[in-house]
Amino acid sequence: MPVELRRARPPDADFLVELVTDDDVRPFLGPRTATTREGVLEEIERSLAEPESFGRFVVELDGEPAGTVGFRVSSEPNRIARLEKLAVHPRFRGRRLADEAARLFQRLLLEELDFHRIELEIYAFNERACAHAERSGFVREGQKRKAYRKDGEWVDSVLYAIVADDLED
Ligand SMILES: CC(C)(COP(=O)(O)OP(=O)(O)OC[C@H]1O[C@@H](n2cnc3c(N)ncnc32)[C@H](O)[C@@H]1OP(=O)(O)O)[C@@H](O)C(=O)NCCC(=O)NCCS
């Protein structure tokens, strides 16, 4: 499948805002997700200015924007990157696009950017994303109990990670 990952550029801002504000995306992302055009543009500029420590990417299918994924450094001494903002536009769901994007992203972070470990945290109620993470090679490492307040309720999150040694050749 011709899935590609490329670093987001300012003209991608409208697509990214539409994506993260979609009713079938927003509830699954954390509260600090940038949802305004200004906020998204700021993140794109930061990703271009600090490519080794912060990233905002567009997932393309046949050259058409279909999703997004991002990272930030969570520990520089330990070379840990935290994956964030994973989303596939509802128009492109059902083809396991995120699995392909995750594999490309793992290679980019672990091989090209030389991280040692990638961490990913998913709300426990988001079974679709947990199933995706497990299919994509992330290892479930634990569960944080009642860690976040979501619509007035305390909810759990599930912690996943992949380390450089996990990548198959
Ligand atoms: C998680 C996400 C990126 C996966 O996108 P995707 O690659 O298009 O995934 P698909 O829609 O192809 O679904 C993959 C599989 O999960 C299955 N699935 C759907 N809902 C499910 C659920 N509630 N529980 C378990 N599996 C589920 C699908 O049936 C499909 O399996 P199949 O291929 O055997 O039919 C996408 O759903 C999304 O953008 N969600 C909103 C944002 C989000 O949750 N991001 C993660 C934040 S950590």
Side-chain angles (χ1 to χ4, degrees), residues 31-80:
R32 284 186 299 274
T33 300
T35 52
T36 62
R37 197 161 190 282
E38 297 66 44
V40 166
L41 271 172
E42 218 170 275
E43 290 191 344
I44 292 173
E45 297 296 351
R46 182 170 171 205
S47 161
L48 293 169
E50 304 169 28
E52 306 219 322
S53 59
F54 187 84
R56 288 292 175 262
F57 291 80
V58 172
V59 179
E60 287 188 335
L61 178 65
D62 291 329
E64 208 186 327
T68 190
V69 65
F71 80 94
R72 69 179 65 224
V73 172
S74 73
S75 168
E76 180 47 51
N78 298 304
R79 297 301 295 147
I80 302 174

Side-chain angles (χ1 to χ4, degrees), residues 120-137:
L120 168 62
E121 184 168 7
I122 302 177
Y123 288 124
F125 63 77
N126 191 355
E127 292 171 9
R128 191 170 52 186
C130 290
H132 147 75
E134 280 160 33
R135 279 196 311 267
S136 314

Side-chain angles (χ1 to χ4, degrees), residues 52-116:
E52 306 219 322
S53 59
F54 187 84
R56 288 292 175 262
F57 291 80
V58 172
V59 179
E60 287 188 335
L61 178 65
D62 291 329
E64 208 186 327
T68 190
V69 65
F71 80 94
R72 69 179 65 224
V73 172
S74 73
S75 168
E76 180 47 51
N78 298 304
R79 297 301 295 147
I80 302 174
R82 183 181 168 98
L83 192 153
E84 54 190 15
K85 306 277 176 68
L86 168 71
V88 167
H89 195 288
R91 248 191 346 263
F92 292 90
R93 299 265 177 91
R95 307 176 211 185
R96 298 198 171 182
L97 206 63
D99 294 14
E100 187 63 26
R103 287 180 205 285
L104 293 171
F105 205 47
Q106 289 166 1
R107 298 231 168 245
L108 175 82
L109 291 173
L110 297 173
E111 292 176 354
E112 287 175 41
L113 293 176
D114 205 30
F115 284 100
H116 162 71

Side-chain angles (χ1 to χ4, degrees), residues 7-24:
R7 214 168 264 267
R9 298 184 295 257
D12 296 312
D14 290 337
F15 166 72
L16 293 174
V17 170
E18 183 200 321
L19 178 58
V20 296
T21 54
D22 187 280
D23 287 347
D24 200 19

